[in-house]
Amino acid sequence: MAPSQQAKSSKSARGLLTGLAVAACLLAGLPRAEAQIPAKQPPAAPQATPQVAPQAAPQAVPGFWDPRRRPERPDLSRLTVIRFLTETDYPPFNYTGADGNPAGFNVDLARSLCEEIKVTCTVQMRRFETLVDALSSNRGDAIIASMAVSPQLRARVDFTDPYYRVPARFASRKDAVMPEIRPEYLEGKKVGVIAGSAHEAYLKAMFTDAELHAYPNDESLRAALRKGEVDFIFGDAISLAFWINGTDSGDCCAFSGGPFVESRFFGEGIGIAVRKGNDVLRQALNWALFRVWEKGRYTDLWLRYFSVSPF
């Protein structure tokens, strides 16, 4: 299953294999497994013509926490165990490891949060569409499954602060990478996008002079770029990052320009869900998320799972 269902409605915003700042401010129902854990040629413009440049090598790590808004340490004495729920098959965020236990970015992040709060935790894998009902019926305490925050879900659960976002990005063939993309740079350029997606809506609103080509799915969209039928494609940057770095791309392509994170089109981000009114746990997780980021453990975890940054 490719890399944000809630984040699968965001998994194209999910597909995702989101006071917040992006780095440098651009930027499964029976349980399947349970584990004890302690704790993705510029156009000829009249005046400003960008230069074609190779894809930048350095990895960009997102940061979604404002160091000026340090959360106070909550009372953690009432927390004795946290039962995390996660999805069965959404690599690299959630999957079953070689030992049969839950693994992935979300699972490792849950482990780090448990270590910070100093409580015993369990991780149970379930089908994505059963997670909210399982939480509501007290079969778990928190969902960490790349679940996109939305008004519809906020009516059923409470969310922590986002721990990542699913940005949108342009990709091009490697011989036509642009370090920066603005609407005027894509005038008359052929841009591929998934029909009916938030990415298409964004292009129609912001890149009005580009020549849009709509495709029914990711496979046909990416094939169009490989074959040179379009100059750029625009979509979920996490999915694109894994495609670019995988064998399916044939090493054809790279990101052009930076991430687009406008919440009106691309959502509020990915959060950890808790039952409505469970402020004790929500605040504890927010505090632990900040601490894990502040100590550099979030960065280490991100670099372990994302060899090509979506940001």
Side-chain angles (χ1 to χ4, degrees):
M1 185 172 183
S4 248
Q5 350 179 0
Q6 313 303 343
K8 283 176 186 172
S9 57
S10 206
K11 257 183 192 183
S12 29
R14 198 185 187 264
L16 134 48
L17 332 288
T18 232
L20 308 173
V22 177
C25 280
L26 285 163
L27 239 56
L30 294 175
R32 177 168 177 179
E34 187 172 76
Q36 289 286 338
I37 58 174
K40 174 130 164 92
Q41 266 171 358
Q47 296 185 341
T49 302
Q51 294 182 344
V52 175
Q55 176 76 356
Q59 167 71 289
V61 180
F64 306 104
W65 296 270
D66 186 344
R68 299 167 298 181
R69 298 182 59 215
R70 176 189 300 272
E72 293 185 7
R73 188 182 191 277
D75 180 6
L76 304 176
S77 61
R78 296 164 60 185
L79 289 177
T80 58
V81 63
I82 302 175
R83 299 170 300 163
F84 277 105
L85 301 170
T86 195
E87 181 178 359
T88 54
D89 186 23
Y90 182 43
F93 294 96
N94 309 92
Y95 58 93
T96 302
D99 59 359
N101 288 318
F105 177 85
N106 286 325
V107 175
D108 283 350
L109 180 58
R111 179 180 294 114
S112 294
L113 298 177
C114 294
E115 290 173 352
E116 196 63 47
I117 298 172
K118 294 180 171 56
V119 293
T120 297
C121 295
T122 63
V123 175
Q124 182 185 114
M125 302 180 79
R126 306 180 68 92
R127 296 194 313 273
F128 186 86
E129 65 272 15
T130 71
L131 291 174
V132 174
D133 286 342
L135 180 68
S136 299
S137 60
N138 198 29
R139 284 174 281 177
D141 302 310
I143 300 171
I144 184 164
S146 296
M147 183 169 283
V149 180
S150 69
Q152 295 82 3
L153 276 176
R154 282 192 184 278
R156 301 183 63 189
V157 299
D158 288 339
F159 280 100
T160 64
D161 296 335
Y163 63 95
Y164 76 89
R165 289 182 178 271
V166 182
R169 289 189 71 174
F170 289 94
S172 64
R173 295 187 60 84
K174 282 188 170 182
D175 59 1
V177 168
M178 296 167 63
E180 181 182 9
I181 288 188
R182 299 178 183 176
E184 60 267 29
Y185 296 168
L186 299 193
E187 181 179 353
K189 291 292 183 179
K190 298 177 181 178
V191 182
V193 69
I194 297 296
S197 65
H199 304 94
E200 183 183 43
Y202 185 78
L203 292 178
K204 287 180 176 179
M206 304 297 180
F207 287 78
T208 56
D209 293 325
E211 182 182 314
L212 302 189
H213 293 254
Y215 294 86
N217 51 51
D218 284 326
E219 184 178 1
S220 58
L221 175 67
R222 296 164 184 173
L225 182 60
R226 286 198 311 268
K227 297 173 183 177
E229 295 172 0
V230 294
D231 301 302
F232 300 89
I233 59 175
F234 185 64
D236 167 5
I238 291 179
S239 295
L240 282 173
F242 285 101
W243 175 71
I244 286 170
N245 199 46
T247 57
D248 288 349
S249 69
D251 198 33
C252 70
C253 306
F255 282 127
S256 271
F260 295 81
V261 295
E262 284 83 348
S263 59
R264 181 162 66 96
F265 290 91
F266 308 125
E268 302 176 49
I270 305 301
I272 302 172
V274 301
R275 279 189 297 281
K276 294 289 290 185
N278 192 349
D279 288 341
V280 171
L281 180 55
R282 184 181 58 81
Q283 291 171 6
L285 291 171
N286 273 337
W287 174 81
L289 282 166
F290 185 91
R291 293 280 292 168
V292 166
W293 169 75
E294 186 177 43
K295 292 178 176 181
R297 295 173 67 187
Y298 183 92
T299 296
D300 293 342
L301 186 59
W302 186 271
L303 291 172
R304 188 190 315 164
Y305 281 96
F306 300 98
S307 55
V308 173
S309 178
F311 291 88

